[in-house]
């Protein structure tokens, strides 16, 4: 249910900034070669937020514009390129935290006011699966929580991904 996703995103916005700030300098170091640092993972979540808020808005519009059309396809983005291009590991921690907060506040503004017909708009994932906008939002929050767990757990650090 969308209310649950909204509550979980709000909870993360209320706790993550302070928790991340407390990690200090260890955020720059990957624990294993070939994996992202904690700061790069948070940066990846910024990239995920900006890509997904765009998807949420576009899907809402496509559903209003053409209910009978084939569902639009979700286009993946190259996560590694985004993380590298944004230079997260060279950025001040506070900048990345503010960016993450800002993008996720934008996500909240968009998803909080979606009507049920908008939430029911369908789209096609890269693997061909057809899902609703509501499912995509729930998946976005679960993806965020998965990576936040990596950031704050002892076994933190994300294997480098090709596309998401």
């Amino acid at each position: 249910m969308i209310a649950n996703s909204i509550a979980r995103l709000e909870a993360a916005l209320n706790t993550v900034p302070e928790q991340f700030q407390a990690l200090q300098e260890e955020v720059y170091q990957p624990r294993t070669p070939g994996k992202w640092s904690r700061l790069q993972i948070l940066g990846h979540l910024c990239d995920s937020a900006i890509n997904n808020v765009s998807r949420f808005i576009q899907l809402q519009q496509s559903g209003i514009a053409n209910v009978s059309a084939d569902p639009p396809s979700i286009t993946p983005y190259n996560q590694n390129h985004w993380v590298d291009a944004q230079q997260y590991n060279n950025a001040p921690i506070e900048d990345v935290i503010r960016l993450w907060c800002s993008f996720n506040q934008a996500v909240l503004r968009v998803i909080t006011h979606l009507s049920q017909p908008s939430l029911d708009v369908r789209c096609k994932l890269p693997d061909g699966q057809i899902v609703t906008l509501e499912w995509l939002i729930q998946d976005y929050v679960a993806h965020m929580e998965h990576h936040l767990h990596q950031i704050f757990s002892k076994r933190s650090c994300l294997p480098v991904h090709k596309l998401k």
Side-chain angles (χ1 to χ4, degrees), residues 3 5 7 12 17 22 42 46 49-51 56 62 66 72 76-77 91 93 99 106 116 121 133 136 145 160 164:
S5 296
L42 190 65
C46 294
I50 197 167
N51 277 276
F56 301 160
S62 74
N66 195 351
Y77 66 98
I93 296 168
L99 190 63
Q116 193 59 52
V121 169
L133 175 55
L136 200 63
E145 290 173 335
V160 176
K164 174 69 176 170

Side-chain angles (χ1 to χ4, degrees), residues 37-75:
S37 70
R38 287 179 171 101
L39 191 59
Q40 288 171 310
I41 295 171
L42 190 65
H44 163 66
L45 290 177
C46 294
D47 300 340
S48 177
I50 197 167
N51 277 276
N52 278 288
V53 77
S54 176
R55 291 170 179 163
F56 301 160
I57 292 167
Q58 290 172 1
L59 286 171
Q60 179 185 9
Q61 172 103 24
S62 74
I64 294 167
N66 195 351
V67 178
S68 63
D70 287 335
S73 294
I74 297 295
T75 304

Side-chain angles (χ1 to χ4, degrees), residues 116-128:
Q116 193 59 52
S118 292
L119 291 168
D120 292 337
V121 169
R122 299 175 312 130
C123 61
K124 185 186 293 187
L125 300 178
D127 67 3

